[in-house]
Structures are given as C-alpha cells and as structure tokens.
Amino acid sequence: MDQISALPVFVMVVEHQGFAAAARELGVSKSAVSKRITLLEEHLGARLLNRSTRNISLTEAGELYYARAVDALEAAKEAESAVAQMQGKPKGRLKINVPMTFGRLHIAPLIPKFLKLNPEISIDMIMDDRTIDLVDGGFDLAIRGGRLKDSSLIARKITPCFNVLAASPQYLEEHGTPATPQDLQNHNCLHYAYFSDQHEWTLEDPQGQVRVETSGNYQVNNGDALTTAVLGGCGIGRLTTFAAGEYLRSGALTQVLPNYTLPTQTMYAVYPNRKYLPTKTRVFINFISEQIGSDRPYWDEGLFEK
C-alpha cells in the first residue's frame, strides 16, 4: 500500500519538475516528498529520477514507471467517478483551466455559488490565455474559445462568443470614424496576440466578406490589457463582447462599423476522453452553461438590438 500511495507523489514530482513544487502542491514538506520517492526507488530496486541542484529528469526506468503510474491514477479516477455517479453525489478536487479575461469576468464570479451548492467539491482554477495540455497538466476541464485543434479531447458547447470593433469616443473624435472596412488601414489597430489571424480582420455585410490587413503600434497577449488600451484611446480593437459589453452599453466604447459583423467563435468546455465523465466535471459544466446562457449570453444583453 505504501508503494501505491507513492504513485501520486511521484507523478506530481515529474509534472512539476521538482520536489519543492510538488511539495507545495501536495501541502507537505519537501523532505517528506523526497523521502517518499527514495523509499519507492528502494522498493523497486531502481533509480527513477536523475537529480541535480537545479532540476530533475527521468531515468529510463523512471520513464517506464511514470507512464504506468499515470495510467494507474487515471484508472483510479475513473473507478471513483463510476462510484460517484452511482451515488449521485459530486465530490473531489476539480482542476480547471480558463482564459484569463473570460475567467476573471465570467467564471470566477460563479465559483462561490457553485461551491455553496457543491460543498464536497474543491476547485483548483488556473487562469492562462495559452493553450495547455490538459492531460499533462492533470486538468479535469478547460474552457476554450475558437477552433479546437486537439481531437483527443471531448468538447461541449457552452455559448457563442461574438466580436466587435470598438474604440473610445475620444479616439474617434481625434482620428475620425471609419465608414468602410478599407478605412481601417488609415487607423491605429490594436491586436490580440493569440488570434490566429492577428492582423487580417474579416468583416461581413449583405454584399459579402471583406478582409482587411490592419496595422498598429500595440499587440498584447491578454484580453484585459487590450480592452484597457482601447478604453484609453490608443486605437481601434477587435474585442469580444464578453469583455467589451459593459463599456459599449455605458458609452465608454463606441462600436466601429456596426453594419458589419465579425466571425463568431464558440466557447467550449473541453475535457479528456474518458469512459466515465466524473460527476464533479459534469455538474460544473451544467452549472456554468445554465448561468451563462447557451444561445445569447447574459453579457450581450442590450447589444446588437436595432
């Protein structure tokens, strides 16, 4: 049993690239983690980790053991999920990954209510705009927008994600308001670094699509920072309505080229392909879907109405 209980410790050390980081994640001392790994190696009669003062790496035996250990932990999770589904009682630690701006504005405010409704679930939420590997990171769930590239994941639609071009009234007063998509080429356009088509903006009206190559003096990999720059009068930005909606309603931002639409993305809940979807994951997905709204999200209220 001691060797079985060492599995999650060993996996945590490998995934966090060190004893100290694993100890912080587990809430124990670094020496306790080191001792557990040493005892495991003694039991197996093989060194699993190469240790140096700066980092660790897997030995050949360690690579083999790590692959089997991950499989074993996954099987244990599925067994726990199967029992939990039978009991109908969500419980356990739920590790989720969400985009920074969307998470701050629309997921974090829902967490207190969710935890009150599900007191036996604990949440570890990582906010990051980069696309990370859910399996390697030990995540149960991620919220992602746009095109999904990883076919090994299961995706469930949460809500549509609309985009607009926007600028501050001060910027438009100083530089003029674009009347056609081509006019954007004469403006300072601000860009979000993680869009696949960062500088080529696609707009559409009843006559068809127009693609415009834009340029500007600011690009950033965070939606909050981009919205702040647009609010500050730096230029015209392509913003999601979940970030810009309140500012458009208040007049702090003005929609640019409102007769044109921009491509719509979809926000998805994605999770690893498992035989049993853990009850805690299913309950969380259902909860955020109900709170946000599947057809027209609450943050779009009052927008796009003629």
Side-chain angles (χ1 to χ4, degrees):
M1 291 302 296
D2 285 342
Q3 285 70 50
I4 293 175
S5 64
L7 287 179
V9 178
F10 173 68
V11 169
M12 193 72 71
V13 169
V14 175
E15 291 180 347
H16 287 76
Q17 291 292 299
F19 293 95
R24 286 193 297 271
E25 186 72 16
L26 293 166
V28 299
S29 67
K30 179 181 175 183
S31 61
V33 171
S34 179
K35 182 178 180 180
R36 181 58 67 91
I37 298 302
T38 299
L39 290 173
L40 177 62
E41 290 177 324
E42 290 176 355
H43 170 76
L44 295 171
R47 179 174 289 276
L48 301 176
L49 298 170
N50 294 313
R51 302 161 173 84
S52 71
T53 55
R54 292 193 172 185
N55 54 35
I56 63 165
S57 62
L58 287 167
T59 64
E60 184 178 358
E63 289 180 357
L64 179 64
Y65 192 78
Y66 173 71
R68 298 297 186 273
V70 170
D71 288 343
L73 290 177
E74 189 61 36
K77 287 181 181 178
E78 289 192 356
E80 180 180 334
S81 175
V83 173
Q85 287 190 17
M86 183 182 297
Q87 295 176 331
K89 194 173 186 180
K91 61 174 64 177
R93 177 173 173 265
L94 183 65
K95 187 174 182 182
I96 61 178
N97 169 243
V98 299
M100 188 71 70
T101 301
F102 186 78
R104 181 183 69 82
L105 292 174
H106 304 293
I107 299 297
L110 298 177
I111 297 300
K113 182 177 180 181
F114 177 80
L115 291 176
K116 278 189 177 182
L117 292 171
N118 301 277
E120 295 192 46
I121 294 180
S122 63
I123 289 181
D124 179 3
M125 186 164 75
I126 309 299
M127 301 170 69
D128 196 330
D129 284 343
R130 296 171 299 173
T131 299
I132 62 176
D133 190 298
L134 296 190
V135 176
D136 285 350
F139 288 94
D140 298 289
L141 172 73
I143 305 297
R144 290 182 180 168
R147 300 189 188 104
L148 300 179
K149 299 178 181 178
D150 191 343
S151 60
S152 69
L153 300 176
I154 304 298
R156 174 176 160 183
K157 177 183 174 181
I158 299 296
T159 194
C161 179
F162 299 97
N163 298 275
V164 294
L165 299 183
S168 70
Q170 293 83 1
Y171 174 87
L172 296 176
E173 182 178 349
E174 183 176 349
H175 299 278
T177 300
T180 68
Q182 289 75 16
D183 291 343
L184 292 169
Q185 295 176 326
N186 300 318
H187 284 268
N188 194 44
C189 295
L190 314 182
H191 301 98
Y192 178 61
Y194 290 146
F195 274 140
S196 58
D197 53 347
Q198 297 168 10
H199 299 277
E200 185 182 68
W201 291 356
T202 301
L203 298 93
E204 186 172 358
D205 70 357
Q207 280 68 52
Q209 283 190 347
V210 179
R211 290 184 173 87
V212 181
E213 191 70 23
T214 61
S215 62
N217 61 5
Y218 186 50
Q219 175 174 297
V220 65
N221 67 346
N222 178 268
D224 280 329
L226 180 62
T227 303
T228 298
V230 177
L231 285 166
C234 290
I236 298 173
R238 181 174 57 174
L239 304 177
T240 58
T241 56
F242 69 70
E246 64 174 296
Y247 302 115
L248 292 166
R249 281 187 290 270
S250 70
L253 290 179
T254 300
Q255 187 175 351
V256 174
L257 298 173
N259 293 326
Y260 290 83
T261 60
L262 279 72
T264 299
Q265 286 84 41
T266 300
M267 298 300 293
Y268 295 96
V270 297
Y271 49 90
N273 188 358
R274 297 187 179 118
K275 185 175 180 180
Y276 293 101
L277 177 65
T279 304
K280 60 186 179 181
T281 305
R282 175 173 49 79
V283 167
F284 186 79
I285 294 173
N286 290 342
F287 175 78
I288 61 172
S289 297
E290 292 167 1
Q291 296 294 311
I292 288 174
S294 58
D295 295 322
R296 178 68 75 174
Y298 66 84
W299 55 75
D300 283 344
E301 183 178 350
L303 301 181
F304 312 119
E305 295 178 357
K306 300 296 183 182

Coordinates of all heavy atoms in Angstrom, one line a residue, residues 19-78:
F19 N 11.0 18.6 -6.5 CA 10.4 18.2 -5.2 C 9.7 19.4 -4.5 O 8.7 19.2 -3.8 CB 11.5 17.7 -4.3 CG 12.1 16.4 -4.8 CD1 13.2 16.4 -5.5 CD2 11.5 15.2 -4.4 CE1 13.8 15.2 -6.0 CE2 12.0 14.0 -4.9 CZ 13.2 14.0 -5.7
A20 N 10.3 20.6 -4.5 CA 9.7 21.7 -3.8 C 8.4 22.1 -4.4 O 7.4 22.3 -3.6 CB 10.7 22.9 -3.9
A21 N 8.3 22.1 -5.7 CA 7.0 22.5 -6.3 C 5.9 21.4 -6.1 O 4.8 21.7 -5.8 CB 7.1 22.6 -7.9
A22 N 6.3 20.1 -6.1 CA 5.4 19.1 -5.8 C 4.9 19.1 -4.3 O 3.8 18.9 -4.0 CB 6.0 17.7 -6.1
A23 N 5.9 19.5 -3.4 CA 5.5 19.6 -2.0 C 4.5 20.7 -1.8 O 3.6 20.6 -1.0 CB 6.8 19.8 -1.2
R24 N 4.7 21.8 -2.5 CA 3.7 22.9 -2.3 C 2.4 22.5 -2.8 O 1.3 22.9 -2.2 CB 4.2 24.2 -3.1 CG 5.4 24.9 -2.5 CD 5.6 26.3 -3.1 NE 6.0 26.1 -4.5 CZ 7.3 26.0 -4.9 NH1 8.3 26.0 -4.0 NH2 7.5 25.9 -6.2
E25 N 2.3 21.8 -3.9 CA 1.0 21.4 -4.5 C 0.3 20.4 -3.6 O -0.9 20.4 -3.4 CB 1.3 20.7 -5.9 CG 0.0 20.4 -6.6 CD -0.7 21.6 -7.2 OE1 -0.1 22.7 -7.2 OE2 -1.9 21.4 -7.5
L26 N 1.1 19.5 -2.9 CA 0.6 18.5 -2.1 C 0.3 19.0 -0.6 O -0.4 18.3 0.1 CB 1.5 17.3 -2.0 CG 1.7 16.5 -3.3 CD1 2.9 15.5 -3.3 CD2 0.4 15.7 -3.6
G27 N 0.9 20.1 -0.3 CA 0.7 20.7 1.1 C 1.6 19.9 2.1 O 1.1 19.8 3.3
V28 N 2.7 19.4 1.7 CA 3.6 18.7 2.6 C 5.0 19.3 2.5 O 5.3 20.2 1.7 CB 3.6 17.2 2.4 CG1 2.2 16.6 2.6 CG2 4.2 16.9 1.0
S29 N 5.9 18.8 3.3 CA 7.3 19.3 3.3 C 8.1 18.7 2.1 O 7.8 17.6 1.6 CB 8.0 19.0 4.6 OG 8.2 17.6 4.7
K30 N 9.1 19.4 1.7 CA 9.9 18.9 0.6 C 10.6 17.7 1.0 O 10.8 16.7 0.2 CB 11.0 20.0 0.2 CG 11.9 19.6 -0.9 CD 13.0 20.7 -1.2 CE 14.0 20.2 -2.2 NZ 15.0 21.3 -2.4
S31 N 11.1 17.6 2.3 CA 11.7 16.4 2.8 C 10.8 15.2 2.8 O 11.3 14.0 2.5 CB 12.3 16.6 4.2 OG 11.2 16.9 5.1
A32 N 9.5 15.4 3.1 CA 8.6 14.3 3.0 C 8.4 13.7 1.6 O 8.3 12.5 1.4 CB 7.2 14.7 3.6
V33 N 8.4 14.6 0.6 CA 8.3 14.2 -0.7 C 9.6 13.4 -1.2 O 9.5 12.3 -1.8 CB 8.1 15.4 -1.7 CG1 8.2 14.9 -3.2 CG2 6.7 16.0 -1.4
S34 N 10.7 14.0 -0.8 CA 12.0 13.3 -1.2 C 12.1 11.9 -0.5 O 12.5 11.0 -1.2 CB 13.1 14.2 -0.7 OG 14.4 13.6 -1.0
K35 N 11.7 11.8 0.7 CA 11.8 10.5 1.4 C 10.8 9.5 0.8 O 11.2 8.3 0.6 CB 11.4 10.7 2.9 CG 11.5 9.4 3.7 CD 11.2 9.7 5.2 CE 11.3 8.4 6.0 NZ 10.9 8.6 7.4
R36 N 9.6 10.0 0.4 CA 8.7 9.0 -0.2 C 9.2 8.5 -1.6 O 9.1 7.3 -1.9 CB 7.3 9.7 -0.5 CG 6.3 8.9 -1.1 CD 5.9 7.7 -0.3 NE 5.3 8.0 1.0 CZ 4.0 8.1 1.2 NH1 3.2 7.9 0.2 NH2 3.6 8.4 2.4
I37 N 9.9 9.4 -2.4 CA 10.4 8.9 -3.6 C 11.6 8.0 -3.4 O 11.8 7.0 -4.1 CB 10.9 10.1 -4.5 CG1 9.7 11.0 -4.8 CG2 11.6 9.7 -5.8 CD1 8.6 10.3 -5.5
T38 N 12.4 8.3 -2.4 CA 13.6 7.4 -2.1 C 13.1 6.0 -1.7 O 13.7 5.0 -2.1 CB 14.4 8.0 -1.0 OG1 14.9 9.3 -1.4 CG2 15.6 7.1 -0.6
L39 N 12.1 6.0 -0.8 CA 11.5 4.7 -0.4 C 11.0 3.9 -1.6 O 11.1 2.7 -1.7 CB 10.5 4.9 0.7 CG 11.0 5.4 2.0 CD1 9.8 5.7 2.9 CD2 11.9 4.3 2.7
L40 N 10.3 4.6 -2.5 CA 9.8 4.0 -3.7 C 10.9 3.4 -4.5 O 10.8 2.2 -5.0 CB 9.0 5.0 -4.5 CG 8.4 4.5 -5.8 CD1 7.4 3.4 -5.6 CD2 7.7 5.6 -6.6
E41 N 12.0 4.1 -4.7 CA 13.1 3.6 -5.5 C 13.7 2.4 -4.9 O 14.1 1.5 -5.5 CB 14.1 4.8 -5.7 CG 13.6 5.9 -6.7 CD 14.6 7.0 -6.8 OE1 15.3 7.3 -5.8 OE2 14.7 7.5 -7.9
E42 N 13.8 2.5 -3.5 CA 14.4 1.3 -2.8 C 13.5 0.1 -3.0 O 14.0 -1.0 -3.1 CB 14.6 1.7 -1.3 CG 15.7 2.7 -1.1 CD 15.7 3.1 0.4 OE1 14.9 2.7 1.2 OE2 16.6 3.9 0.8
H43 N 12.2 0.3 -2.9 CA 11.3 -0.8 -3.1 C 11.4 -1.4 -4.5 O 11.4 -2.7 -4.7 CB 9.9 -0.4 -2.8 CG 8.9 -1.4 -3.2 ND1 8.6 -2.5 -2.5 CD2 8.0 -1.5 -4.3 CE1 7.6 -3.2 -3.1 NE2 7.3 -2.6 -4.2
L44 N 11.6 -0.6 -5.5 CA 11.6 -1.0 -6.9 C 13.0 -1.6 -7.2 O 13.2 -2.3 -8.2 CB 11.2 0.1 -7.8 CG 9.8 0.6 -7.8 CD1 9.6 1.8 -8.6 CD2 8.8 -0.5 -8.2
G45 N 14.0 -1.1 -6.5 CA 15.4 -1.5 -6.8 C 15.9 -0.8 -8.0 O 16.8 -1.4 -8.7
A46 N 15.4 0.4 -8.3 CA 15.8 1.1 -9.5 C 15.7 2.6 -9.2 O 14.8 3.0 -8.5 CB 15.0 0.7 -10.7
R47 N 16.6 3.3 -9.8 CA 16.6 4.8 -9.7 C 15.6 5.3 -10.8 O 15.7 5.0 -11.9 CB 17.9 5.4 -9.9 CG 17.9 7.0 -9.9 CD 19.3 7.5 -10.0 NE 20.1 7.3 -8.7 CZ 20.0 8.0 -7.6 NH1 19.2 9.1 -7.6 NH2 20.7 7.7 -6.6
L48 N 14.6 6.1 -10.3 CA 13.6 6.7 -11.2 C 13.9 8.1 -11.7 O 13.5 8.5 -12.8 CB 12.2 6.7 -10.5 CG 11.7 5.3 -10.0 CD1 10.4 5.5 -9.2 CD2 11.5 4.4 -11.1
L49 N 14.7 8.8 -10.9 CA 14.9 10.2 -11.2 C 16.4 10.5 -11.1 O 17.1 10.0 -10.2 CB 14.2 11.1 -10.2 CG 12.7 11.1 -10.2 CD1 12.1 11.8 -9.0 CD2 12.1 11.6 -11.5
N50 N 16.9 11.3 -12.1 CA 18.2 11.9 -12.0 C 18.1 13.2 -11.3 O 17.3 14.0 -11.8 CB 18.8 12.0 -13.4 CG 19.1 10.7 -14.1 OD1 19.7 9.8 -13.5 ND2 18.6 10.6 -15.4
R51 N 18.8 13.4 -10.3 CA 18.7 14.6 -9.5 C 19.9 15.5 -9.7 O 21.1 15.0 -9.7 CB 18.5 14.3 -8.0 CG 17.3 13.5 -7.7 CD 17.4 12.8 -6.3 NE 16.3 12.1 -5.9 CZ 16.0 10.9 -6.2 NH1 16.8 10.2 -7.0 NH2 14.9 10.3 -5.7
S52 N 19.7 16.8 -9.8 CA 20.8 17.8 -9.8 C 20.4 18.9 -8.9 O 19.3 18.9 -8.4 CB 21.2 18.3 -11.2 OG 20.1 19.1 -11.7
T53 N 21.3 19.9 -8.7 CA 20.9 21.0 -7.8 C 19.8 21.9 -8.4 O 19.1 22.6 -7.7 CB 22.2 21.9 -7.6 OG1 22.7 22.3 -8.8 CG2 23.2 21.1 -6.8
R54 N 19.7 21.8 -9.8 CA 18.7 22.7 -10.4 C 17.5 22.0 -10.9 O 16.4 22.6 -11.0 CB 19.4 23.4 -11.6 CG 20.5 24.4 -11.1 CD 20.9 25.3 -12.3 NE 21.7 26.4 -11.8 CZ 22.2 27.4 -12.6 NH1 21.8 27.4 -13.8 NH2 23.0 28.3 -12.1
N55 N 17.6 20.8 -11.3 CA 16.4 20.1 -11.9 C 16.5 18.6 -11.7 O 17.4 18.1 -11.2 CB 16.2 20.5 -13.4 CG 17.5 20.2 -14.2 OD1 18.2 19.2 -13.9 ND2 17.8 21.0 -15.2
I56 N 15.4 18.0 -12.2 CA 15.3 16.5 -12.2 C 15.0 16.1 -13.6 O 14.5 16.8 -14.4 CB 14.3 16.0 -11.2 CG1 12.9 16.5 -11.6 CG2 14.6 16.4 -9.8 CD1 11.8 15.8 -11.0
S57 N 15.3 14.8 -13.9 CA 14.9 14.2 -15.1 C 14.6 12.7 -14.9 O 15.2 12.1 -13.9 CB 16.0 14.4 -16.2 OG 17.2 13.7 -15.8
L58 N 13.8 12.1 -15.8 CA 13.5 10.7 -15.6 C 14.6 9.8 -16.2 O 15.2 10.1 -17.2 CB 12.2 10.4 -16.4 CG 10.9 10.9 -15.7 CD1 9.8 10.9 -16.8 CD2 10.6 10.2 -14.5
T59 N 14.9 8.8 -15.4 CA 15.8 7.7 -16.0 C 15.0 6.9 -16.9 O 13.7 7.1 -17.1 CB 16.3 6.8 -14.9 OG1 15.2 6.2 -14.2 CG2 17.1 7.7 -13.8
E60 N 15.6 5.9 -17.6 CA 14.9 5.0 -18.5 C 13.8 4.3 -17.7 O 12.6 4.1 -18.1 CB 15.8 4.0 -19.1 CG 15.1 3.1 -20.2 CD 16.1 2.2 -20.9 OE1 17.3 2.3 -20.6 OE2 15.6 1.4 -21.7
A61 N 14.2 3.8 -16.5 CA 13.2 3.1 -15.6 C 12.1 4.1 -15.2 O 10.9 3.7 -15.1 CB 13.9 2.5 -14.4
G62 N 12.5 5.3 -14.9 CA 11.5 6.3 -14.5 C 10.5 6.6 -15.5 O 9.3 6.8 -15.2
E63 N 10.9 6.7 -16.8 CA 10.0 7.0 -17.9 C 9.0 5.8 -18.0 O 7.8 6.1 -18.2 CB 10.8 7.1 -19.2 CG 11.6 8.4 -19.3 CD 12.3 8.5 -20.6 OE1 12.2 7.5 -21.5 OE2 13.0 9.5 -20.9
L64 N 9.4 4.6 -17.9 CA 8.5 3.4 -17.9 C 7.5 3.5 -16.8 O 6.3 3.3 -16.9 CB 9.3 2.1 -17.9 CG 8.5 0.8 -18.0 CD1 7.8 0.7 -19.3 CD2 9.5 -0.4 -17.8
Y65 N 8.1 3.7 -15.6 CA 7.2 3.8 -14.4 C 6.2 4.9 -14.4 O 5.1 4.8 -14.0 CB 8.1 3.8 -13.1 CG 7.4 3.6 -11.8 CD1 7.1 2.3 -11.5 CD2 6.9 4.6 -11.0 CE1 6.4 2.0 -10.3 CE2 6.2 4.3 -9.9 CZ 6.0 3.0 -9.5 OH 5.3 2.8 -8.4
Y66 N 6.7 6.1 -14.9 CA 5.8 7.2 -15.0 C 4.6 7.0 -15.9 O 3.5 7.3 -15.5 CB 6.6 8.5 -15.5 CG 5.7 9.7 -15.7 CD1 5.2 10.4 -14.7 CD2 5.5 10.1 -17.0 CE1 4.4 11.5 -14.9 CE2 4.6 11.2 -17.3 CZ 4.1 11.9 -16.2 OH 3.3 13.0 -16.4
A67 N 4.9 6.4 -17.1 CA 3.8 6.1 -18.0 C 2.7 5.2 -17.3 O 1.5 5.4 -17.5 CB 4.3 5.5 -19.3
R68 N 3.2 4.1 -16.6 CA 2.3 3.2 -16.0 C 1.6 3.9 -14.8 O 0.4 3.6 -14.5 CB 3.0 2.0 -15.5 CG 3.7 1.2 -16.6 CD 2.7 0.6 -17.6 NE 3.3 -0.3 -18.6 CZ 3.8 0.1 -19.7 NH1 3.8 1.4 -20.1 NH2 4.3 -0.8 -20.6
A69 N 2.3 4.7 -14.1 CA 1.7 5.4 -12.9 C 0.6 6.3 -13.4 O -0.5 6.4 -12.7 CB 2.8 6.2 -12.2
V70 N 0.8 7.1 -14.5 CA -0.3 7.9 -15.0 C -1.5 7.1 -15.3 O -2.6 7.5 -15.0 CB 0.2 8.8 -16.2 CG1 -0.9 9.5 -16.9 CG2 1.3 9.8 -15.7
D71 N -1.3 6.0 -16.0 CA -2.4 5.1 -16.4 C -3.1 4.6 -15.1 O -4.4 4.5 -15.1 CB -1.9 3.9 -17.2 CG -1.5 4.3 -18.6 OD1 -1.8 5.4 -19.1 OD2 -0.7 3.5 -19.2
A72 N -2.4 4.3 -14.1 CA -3.0 3.7 -12.9 C -3.8 4.8 -12.2 O -4.9 4.5 -11.7 CB -1.9 3.2 -12.0
L73 N -3.3 6.0 -12.1 CA -4.0 7.1 -11.5 C -5.3 7.4 -12.3 O -6.4 7.7 -11.7 CB -3.2 8.3 -11.4 CG -2.0 8.2 -10.3 CD1 -1.2 9.5 -10.3 CD2 -2.6 8.0 -8.9
E74 N -5.2 7.4 -13.6 CA -6.4 7.6 -14.4 C -7.4 6.6 -14.2 O -8.6 6.9 -14.1 CB -6.0 7.7 -15.9 CG -7.1 8.1 -16.9 CD -7.5 9.5 -16.6 OE1 -6.7 10.4 -16.2 OE2 -8.7 9.8 -16.7
A75 N -7.0 5.3 -14.1 CA -7.9 4.2 -13.9 C -8.6 4.4 -12.5 O -9.8 4.1 -12.3 CB -7.2 2.9 -13.9
A76 N -7.8 4.9 -11.5 CA -8.4 5.1 -10.2 C -9.4 6.2 -10.2 O -10.5 6.1 -9.6 CB -7.3 5.4 -9.2
K77 N -9.2 7.2 -11.0 CA -10.1 8.3 -11.1 C -11.4 7.9 -11.8 O -12.5 8.3 -11.4 CB -9.5 9.5 -12.0 CG -8.4 10.3 -11.2 CD -7.9 11.4 -12.1 CE -6.9 12.2 -11.5 NZ -6.3 13.3 -12.4
E78 N -11.3 7.0 -12.8 CA -12.5 6.5 -13.5 C -13.3 5.6 -12.6 O -14.5 5.7 -12.6 CB -12.1 5.8 -14.8 CG -11.5 6.7 -15.9 CD -11.4 6.0 -17.2 OE1 -11.7 4.8 -17.2 OE2 -11.1 6.7 -18.2

